[in-house]
Amino acid sequence: MGDSRTRPKASPRQKRMQRRRAQAARSAAAEVVRFLRTEQIGGLVLLGATALALIIANSPLADAYQRLSAYTFGPQSLHLNLSVAQWAQDGLLTVFFVVAGLELKRELVVGELRNPRQAALPIAGAIGGMVVPALLCFLIAFGAPGGAEAWAVPVATDIAFALAVLAICARDLPPSLRVFLLSLAIVDDLGAILLIALVFTAHVAFLPLLGAAAVLVVYGLLQQFRFRGWWLYLALALTAWALVHASGVHATIAGVAVGLLTRVKPDPGEHESPAEALEHRIQPISAGICVPLFAFFSAGIAISAGALGAIFTDRASLGVLLGLVVGKTVGVLLGAAVAVRSKLAQLPEALEWRDLVAVAVVTGCGFTVSLLIAELAFDYGEQRSRIKGAVLLGSLIASLLAAALLRRQVRVRAR
């Protein structure tokens, strides 16, 4: 064994070089984190993960991809022996919903939605965006195989994908547009999760659900009492998540609850509020790891010309497709228009109805929760694949149409 006393000491020049390399490494890491905090980069990473999943699922690596998705791990005693795909869906996606809840809480307390009439606008749009596509899909698929189950699939908006399209295509449009879409999509997904709990959950265990509510009450009280121990907040959040999951209700609702219960107003002398501090830390993790991994394990669907053609001959699949592309647009605009005409809501001064048309189209990106409902509603292979294919195709069409409309609005406003 060598003696450390015999090792040559680093010269001053070597020490300077070591310090510079360490600073360069820290600077590079900070730059990556900074990029991931921008929605444009996060959106591109998300879209890249989705494209990669589709490529692999339609390549010779498809079997390996399916085996990896189905691989299970976790403590069985806590009912958490889940597949990799389930961990991505119920676990990683919860981190994104924490970020969404934090942003919604900030807008409700100190942002544009603190005005009740402005807050009513996205809520009314979300209600219309759930009712109209469900009704349209039901009417198209009525009496057809799977028609009794398909109506629920197009009710949801994928927050991550919708915000990604908006971030990439509409950076120059008013921030009010993003607030409207974020608020609408959260209400939309909460409604879809409630629908899952009421219609597609065979058994809801109320004892774990009550336990989760109690844990979340403790979390909220500690926030109000200004407790600063992050370790206890983390333990409470994980416990609430596990209890919600054990109850049979979709576990991501625990993430929204944590975000909404976190304090957003800084006290005198505080550099930033707890909500700002939490979002600053977990948003890059959400954008760079959690949401892309979820997309990777959710979007891997085998696609062929025959499978795409079958979407248009199967009325249930066609109902889902039109529900997303047509029903969501009409429903969101109808709900918003009724709320404004009845004086229950008001359009933000910076927005025009043409802006809302583009955002209404982008709500047709169903993806995450729509795929989840398709998984729960259809337990037979071929039609489930057609329904999931309709979700992907409808989300793609809605994204492309919305991107074109948003870019047009950017050019119109620039002129």
Side-chain angles (χ1 to χ4, degrees), residues 165-328:
V165 173
L166 191 67
I168 293 169
C169 301
R171 286 178 292 177
D172 299 324
L173 292 180
S176 303
L177 200 60
R178 183 188 179 282
V179 174
F180 174 82
L181 178 59
L182 173 69
S183 309
L184 183 150
I186 290 177
V187 174
D188 200 313
D189 275 2
L190 288 177
I193 290 170
L194 181 62
L195 188 66
I196 291 171
L198 295 176
V199 180
F200 298 110
T201 300
H203 174 69
V204 176
F206 287 99
L207 190 59
L209 202 57
L210 290 173
V215 170
L216 290 168
V217 167
V218 173
Y219 181 99
L221 289 174
L222 289 175
Q223 282 287 306
Q224 296 306 311
F225 292 148
R226 277 39 180 187
F227 181 75
R228 297 182 180 277
W230 65 267
W231 49 272
L232 183 55
Y233 287 124
L234 178 61
L236 289 171
L238 291 174
T239 302
W241 175 86
L243 288 170
V244 172
H245 185 275
S247 74
V249 178
H250 201 259
T252 51
I253 199 169
V256 178
V258 167
L260 291 175
L261 289 170
T262 304
R263 184 166 55 87
V264 297
K265 285 185 176 180
D267 288 335
E270 274 189 329
H271 176 64
E272 58 185 357
S273 69
E276 289 174 311
L278 180 58
E279 184 177 357
H280 188 76
R281 285 167 176 78
I282 69 173
Q283 201 276 336
I285 298 172
S286 170
I289 299 174
C290 298
V291 176
L293 280 177
F294 167 78
F296 179 76
F297 286 109
S298 295
I301 299 173
I303 297 175
S304 64
L308 288 175
I311 292 174
F312 297 93
T313 57
D314 176 44
R315 284 166 53 195
S317 302
L318 184 61
V320 169
L321 176 65
L322 293 177
L324 288 171
V325 178
V326 178
K328 295 293 287 186

Side-chain angles (χ1 to χ4, degrees), residues 39-91:
E39 286 184 339
Q40 293 87 353
I41 300 300
L44 290 173
V45 173
L46 174 60
L47 295 175
T50 303
L52 181 62
L54 287 170
I55 291 170
I56 292 177
N58 293 276
S59 76
L61 297 173
D63 288 341
Y65 171 83
Q66 296 297 337
R67 287 196 300 270
L68 177 61
S69 298
Y71 178 77
T72 60
F73 66 96
Q76 183 64 55
S77 58
L78 298 177
H79 305 287
L80 291 175
N81 186 32
L82 308 176
S83 68
V84 171
Q86 287 174 315
W87 275 112
Q89 183 183 91
D90 293 349

